[in-house]
Amino acid sequence: MSERREYTGDYPEKTLYVPGPTEVREDVIEAMCEPMFGHRMDRMTDLYTTIVEDTKEFLDTDNNVIILTGSGTEFMESSLLNLVDEDVLVTTCGSFSERQANVAERLGKNVDTLEYEWGRAVKPGDVRERLEESDTDYDAVTCVMNESSTGVRNPIEEIGDVVAEYPDTYFVVDAVSALGGDYVNIDEHDIDVIFTSVQKAFAMPPGLAVCVVSDEAYERELGKDSASWYGGFQRSLDYYDRKGQTHSTPAISVMLAYRKQMKYMLEEGHAARDQRHLEMAEYTREWAREHFAMFPEAGYESQTVACIENTQGIDVAETIAAVDEQYDFVFSNGYGSQLGEKTFRIGHMGEHDLESIKTLTSAIENVTGL
Ligand SMILES: Cc1ncc(COP(=O)(O)O)c(C=O)c1O
């Protein structure tokens, strides 16, 4: 049982290198400090249509964009409710993809899994084989683009191309911790649903989730009585069409921050943003290989989260605490009890750049005496 602990407001400022929430620009935080306005006012239409259309432009997609108050898990649940009548094939290779399977089971769906050991990546050939050999006509195949628990970047582009050969099977991608820092051509690879949370590579304060939905996925939901109310594609997109607003009261202040940050993202552009993230990822991998080893299967390392295998047997918890205390930098241990001390993770996403990542790695070197 947790006991009440007073929030004092008196905490040292930390630089976040965790895989989200990540650093947010000061003026983006400040953008939230406007007097409140009503979610049915014209001003709200200005705000919501701006952030929706800017997001389409940034992600370079003609598909529909929904931005709702909540976290990415909202769309993990609602996409399954909206698209799956009976059978879903969930590819699993870490904690978040296993969550996707668990969510589908709780919703009463028939869940088949294509399972990989943590640290391995999902292979398009295996997905093809499963779809070819199975007697089941799956309503959807799911995949996590960036397994934040293991630092694996799954080849969702190739998997999307495989699933596209099955027109009645929809492809659902959890891109939390990737979108905004790792470019994917959503339309070209027939990704029906792809969602993220804004506190990751979008570098915004938490509170909103973004979902990109194909016309086919929208159509598919229309005939379903069991579709989600809150995360329903139809309700959200029809409301947008008619009013340019959300169906229920959104986190207006966070949307103000979103507007500000999305302008910066558009200024940088997705190609430059992708390149910056690649540079951070390559540097971190090189550093990790020099001192430790990378945990993910070679060739499938994430562009936004480095999961580093603790080959030196350092005390991960102690190192994190020392770096925190001496430098006010916060990075992450491995995910859960399985990887807690065996790995550690560095989130190189959002507002970070090569210099800020180098500052962290030298702090780790100093503390551990590497
Ligand atoms: C890959 C992935 N999926 C889903 C989630 C859950 O996101 P949220 O906490 O925004 O619901 C996370 C969070 O870290 C994640 O990394």
Side-chain angles (χ1 to χ4, degrees), residues 46 65 69 111 166 188 226 236 249 254 270 274 281 301 333 339:
D46 296 349
V65 164
T69 302
V111 182
Y166 295 79
E188 191 175 307
S226 61
S236 300
T249 322
V254 188
H270 69 72
D274 188 72
E301 298 89 353
N333 60 349
L339 295 181

Side-chain angles (χ1 to χ4, degrees), residues 275 277-287 289 348:
Q275 184 59 31
H277 281 79
L278 179 63
E279 280 165 18
M280 289 192 282
E282 282 179 342
Y283 164 76
T284 315
R285 283 174 212 159
E286 209 176 295
W287 176 83
R289 289 192 181 111
H348 36 75

Side-chain angles (χ1 to χ4, degrees), residues 19 71-74 76 96 99 144 146-148 174 176-177 197 199-200:
S71 75
T73 306
E74 164 58 32
M76 189 185 282
F96 292 103
R99 181 187 293 186
V144 169
N146 198 58
E147 246 307 346
S148 320
D174 167 348
V176 176
S177 83
S197 312
Q199 74 274 15
K200 307 281 185 179

Side-chain angles (χ1 to χ4, degrees), residues 54-219:
D54 284 358
T55 304
K56 281 186 202 170
E57 188 184 337
F58 175 77
L59 295 176
D60 191 21
T61 181
D62 290 330
N63 285 355
N64 311 282
V65 164
I66 303 171
I67 303 169
L68 281 184
T69 302
S71 75
T73 306
E74 164 58 32
F75 284 117
M76 189 185 282
E77 187 163 73
S78 55
S79 56
L80 292 163
L81 270 173
N82 297 345
L83 298 181
V84 179
D85 273 327
E86 289 181 358
D87 301 291
V88 59
L89 177 62
V90 179
T91 60
T92 65
C93 62
S95 171
F96 292 103
S97 40
E98 286 177 5
R99 181 187 293 186
Q100 217 161 14
N102 184 251
V103 168
E105 273 159 17
R106 281 164 176 262
L107 296 174
K109 310 300 177 192
N110 301 327
V111 182
D112 280 349
T113 51
L114 179 58
E115 291 173 29
Y116 295 83
E117 206 182 308
W118 284 34
R120 313 290 293 179
V122 178
K123 307 297 180 315
D126 296 343
V127 175
R128 176 186 300 284
E129 198 174 295
R130 179 65 76 91
L131 290 175
E132 274 173 5
E133 289 177 3
S134 174
D135 294 332
T136 308
D137 292 326
Y138 292 108
D139 293 318
V141 172
T142 72
C143 190
V144 169
M145 179 170 170
N146 198 58
E147 246 307 346
S148 320
S149 59
T150 61
V152 164
R153 189 338 184 146
N154 283 314
I156 56 154
E157 290 87 346
E158 290 86 345
I159 298 168
D161 294 343
V162 169
V163 179
E165 293 170 28
Y166 295 79
D168 294 332
T169 304
Y170 293 81
F171 187 38
V172 176
V173 175
D174 167 348
V176 176
S177 83
L179 274 196
D182 185 350
Y183 175 70
V184 52
N185 191 328
I186 297 168
D187 304 10
E188 191 175 307
H189 298 287
D190 293 294
I191 300 171
D192 291 292
V193 174
I194 183 164
F195 56 85
T196 191
S197 312
V198 299
Q199 74 274 15
K200 307 281 185 179
F202 276 26
M204 298 175 189
L208 298 168
V210 180
C211 189
V212 184
V213 181
S214 71
D215 288 341
E216 290 76 14
Y218 169 85
E219 296 291 331

